């Protein structure tokens, strides 16, 4: 009988080392709190801090602004608003082209470059980064309600010694001892739990952020990730897609790109970014800019397929870079065990498709791509600060402990035979849109289906309603040396906790009952597995069928009758399989339907691309 291993973090008191993703576009901070890694939100509820600093004029007794507040000043005082400072870290000179991306002159100094904000003010890249780090530190201190002095900070795998030292110095300037400089792809791999893969596993980390693209191939050996190869483009990212969409909108608005006033450019760029973000989830978005040209407002609908067509040539530039990294790693494509997507831009469906195509496998998208690096830094911080667990061998859990998850399945959090005291946590999310609460049923037993295990207690955890996969609820099980189980549920957005305490039941089970449960679980192992596979397959069908119907209704006329027939037949097969209760048949039918619709999706994108090229007069 095999038990499903939960991704768990058995880390003791780890509050004191924070993890930081100091990004070119965005930065995040978090820490392991009560057993699970958490990213902190600022006072406006955002976990993402734009890596932007605004420096008020000399003589103004104001502190620099960081993040969104600084971003807002960019339109007003561009010369005092610094973005993308990470590009300058640890560099002695930059090509003129790159220097032109900065809003103020870059001047050489003995130990590197200076951002010449005014005659009187010249800042080193470390100074600016330190200001961002200081803000992140403050966010963490507010969340944890204590002083923080230690951090793990991530950097791109290709950063050289000078760039790494500069990052470390920036941390020190912000009052932080930098315990470790961690490679971003390694951090991402940690966040995805890939350190639990077998020895010598190979992982590709595809990171498409705001202004940069990085591809890294890693190998896990002796418990650490080795970077086998990296490639990338420091001038390729979501910003390029924003510009492409903005220029498309300009055309739709009949505004001449060359002569348009800067405000018009700025307004449409803003609108483009908003549209792009929405179109990662919605099929259609209506751009609406009141009074774009003085008295006239502008409205225009953009579809996901249209955006995909605009983004395609940009995203396609990642292809040759990936091929180079694979070839440099001396691996065959088929040797890569896992592909993970990192960076906000990989939220776009077209990016996911291209990545899947390049690597010939579906990428793992189980983590928020723009949070993975930070989460990995947090986990590393947790590991570094975890006190060695010199636990006295007291007892073990006689049976597995876990909770019921969607579909009535048992999800084990503390496996049978775990030495106590013990602590483990896992993050869950909402399975359906609009859900506002999650019932946590605490279960004990070895059976695959929740209903066959024993219930020790239950409680509810509330969260803000949102789309599917929006909520982040941490559930932590801890058993103290006395065998008392405490189950804590936390909405990681609001930090609201619910706690359930169960006395001894988790440990004091009479031997006969334990034996009966274990022998039952062996007797029923086969049926149980079938039931689990069936339930998982059924959940997948329940998701697929309405999505396919919806797609057919919207774009059926773009497909040939043969294509439609294939998709319909595959959908019918799924419906038929649902009647049989045959898990294998249903799984196969789901897979066939997946394949059939893949073709439909590809056709859609092609068609949309053609249309867009025609409109531009290229075809
Ligand atoms: P970096 O690592 O470069 O600091 P991020 O990983 O935070 O940057 O990525 C920022 C980019 O992700 C921006 O171009 C932003 O527009 C894009 N992005 C964020 N959310 C979405 C979304 N929902 N859909 C598409 N792109 C997104
Ligand atoms: Mg990044």
């Amino acid at each position: 009988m095999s038990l499903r291993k939960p991704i768990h973090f058995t880390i003791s008191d780890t509050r004191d080392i924070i993890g930081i993703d100091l990004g070119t576009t965005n930065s995040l901070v978090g820490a392991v709190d009560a057993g699970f890694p958490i990213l902190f939100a600022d006072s406006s509820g955002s976990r993402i801090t734009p890596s932007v600093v605004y420096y008020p004029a000399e003589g103004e007794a104001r502190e620099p602004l960081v993040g969104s507040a600084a971003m807002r000043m960019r339109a007003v005082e561009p010369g005092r608003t610094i973005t993308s400072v990470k590009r300058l870290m640890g560099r002695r000179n930059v090509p003129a082209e790159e220097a032109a991306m900065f809003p103020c002159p870059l001047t050489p100094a003995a130990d590197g470059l200076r951002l010449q904000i005014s005659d009187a003010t010249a800042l080193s890249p470390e100074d600016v980064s330190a200001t961002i780090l200081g803000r992140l530190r403050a966010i963490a201190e507010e969340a944890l309600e204590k002083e923080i002095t230690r951090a793990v900070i991530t950097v791109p795998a290709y950063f050289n010694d000078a760039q790494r030292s500069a990052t470390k110095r920036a941390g020190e300037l912000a009052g932080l001892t930098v315990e470790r400089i961690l490679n971003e792809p390694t951090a991402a791999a940690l966040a995805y739990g890939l350190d639990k893969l077998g020895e010598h596993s190979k992982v590709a980390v595809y990171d498409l952020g705001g202004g940069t693209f990085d591809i890294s191939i890693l190998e896990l050996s002796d418990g650490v990730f080795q970077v086998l190869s990296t490639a990338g483009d420091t001038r390729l990212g979501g910003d390029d897609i924003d510009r492409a969409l903005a220029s498309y909108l300009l055309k739709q608005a009949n505004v001449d790109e060359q002569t348009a006033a800067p405000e018009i450019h700025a307004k449409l760029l803003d609108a483009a970014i908003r549209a792009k973000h929405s179109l990662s989830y919605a099929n259609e978005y209506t751009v609406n800019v009141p009074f774009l040209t003085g008295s006239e407002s502008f409205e225009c609908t953009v579809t996901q397929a249209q955006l995909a067509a605009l983004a395609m040539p940009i995203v396609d530039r990642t292809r040759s870079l990936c091929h180079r990294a694979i070839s440099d790693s001396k691996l065959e494509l088929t040797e890569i065990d896992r592909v993970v997507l990192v960076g906000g831009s990989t939220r776009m469906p077209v990016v996911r498709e291209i990545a899947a195509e390049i690597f010939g496998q579906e990428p793992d998208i189980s983590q928020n791509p723009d949070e993975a690096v930070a989460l990995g830094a947090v986990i590393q911080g947790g590991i570094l600060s975890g006190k060695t667990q010199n636990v006295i061998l007291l007892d073990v859990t006689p049976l597995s402990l876990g909770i019921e998850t969607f579909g009535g399945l048992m999800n084990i959090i503390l496996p049978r035979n775990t030495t106590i005291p013990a602590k483990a946590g896992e993050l869950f999310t909402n399975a359906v849109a609009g859900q506002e609460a999650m019932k946590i049923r605490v279960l004990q037993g070895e059976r695959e289906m929740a209903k066959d295990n024993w219930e020790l207690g239950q409680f509810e955890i509330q969260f803000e309603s949102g789309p599917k996969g929006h909520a982040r609820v941490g559930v932590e099980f801890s058993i103290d040396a006395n065998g008392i189980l405490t189950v804590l549920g936390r909405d990681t957005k609001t930090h609201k906790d619910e706690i359930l305490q169960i006395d001894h039941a988790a440990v004091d089970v009479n031997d006969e009952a334990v034996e009966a449960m274990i022998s039952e679980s062996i007797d029923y192992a086969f049926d149980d597995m079938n039931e689990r596979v069936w339930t998982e397959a059924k959940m997948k069908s329940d998701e697929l069928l309405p999505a396919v119907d919806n797609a057919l209704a919207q774009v059926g006329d773009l497909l040939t009758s043969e294509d439609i027939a294939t998709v319909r037949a595959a959908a019918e097969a799924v419906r038929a399989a649902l009647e049989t209760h045959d898990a294998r048949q249903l799984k196969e039918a789901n897979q066939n339907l997946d394949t059939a619709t893949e073709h439909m999706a590809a056709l859609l994108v092609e068609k949309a691309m053609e249309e867009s090229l025609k409109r531009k007069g290229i075809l």
Side-chain angles (χ1 to χ4, degrees), residues 41-221:
D42 63 12
S43 53
S44 68
S46 171
R47 285 179 290 193
I48 292 180
T49 300
S51 307
V52 185
V53 187
Y54 163 75
Y55 290 93
E58 292 80 5
E60 269 192 63
R62 277 203 290 158
E63 292 294 311
L65 297 176
V66 180
S68 316
M71 196 76 144
R72 284 192 286 275
M73 293 306 292
R74 188 153 78 154
V76 190
E77 279 185 88
R80 297 191 152 270
T81 313
I82 309 299
T83 56
S84 301
V85 70
K86 184 172 175 178
R87 295 179 180 279
L88 302 178
M89 294 293 276
R91 293 174 70 187
R92 296 196 154 268
N93 45 46
V94 292
E97 261 188 338
E98 213 176 333
M101 293 167 68
F102 288 89
C104 64
L106 302 181
T107 51
D111 60 347
L113 293 166
R114 292 289 180 273
L115 291 125
Q116 201 74 46
I117 289 186
S118 68
D119 289 345
T121 310
L123 299 162
S124 69
E126 289 95 312
D127 291 328
V128 182
S129 292
T131 310
I132 299 169
L133 289 169
R135 172 84 192 110
L136 298 171
R137 181 182 171 200
I139 291 172
E141 289 183 332
E142 250 162 62
L144 294 171
E145 296 177 334
K146 65 195 229 180
E147 194 192 358
I148 297 297
T149 58
R150 301 161 73 197
V152 169
I153 304 178
T154 59
V155 296
Y158 62 77
F159 255 29
N160 62 28
D161 277 347
Q163 292 169 301
R164 286 166 197 261
S165 316
T167 305
K168 202 163 173 198
R169 267 200 311 281
E172 281 154 10
L173 287 173
L176 291 167
T177 307
V178 181
E179 300 287 339
R180 174 104 23 126
I181 292 285
L182 182 64
N183 285 331
E184 285 163 12
T186 303
L190 279 176
Y192 277 93
L194 301 182
D195 51 324
K196 314 276 189 318
L197 288 179
E199 203 46 10
H200 303 297
S201 299
K202 279 93 176 170
V203 176
V205 181
Y206 178 108
D207 182 347
L208 188 62
T212 58
F213 170 67
D214 297 314
I215 171 73
S216 319
I217 314 283
L218 311 178
E219 177 177 10
L220 184 62
S221 71

Side-chain angles (χ1 to χ4, degrees), residues 21-28 48-49 51 86 184 207-214 237-242 273-281 307 342-349 351 369-371 373:
D21 170 6
L22 184 61
T24 310
T25 316
N26 293 313
S27 297
L28 297 93
I48 292 180
T49 300
S51 307
K86 184 172 175 178
E184 285 163 12
D207 182 347
L208 188 62
T212 58
F213 170 67
D214 297 314
D239 297 350
D240 299 300
I241 300 171
D242 300 342
I273 294 171
R274 253 176 285 131
K276 180 185 80 170
H277 288 190
S278 298
L279 287 171
S280 289
Y281 312 101
L307 175 62
V342 177
S345 299
T346 64
R347 285 185 183 267
M348 297 181 68
V351 175
D370 36 12
E371 295 183 346
V373 168

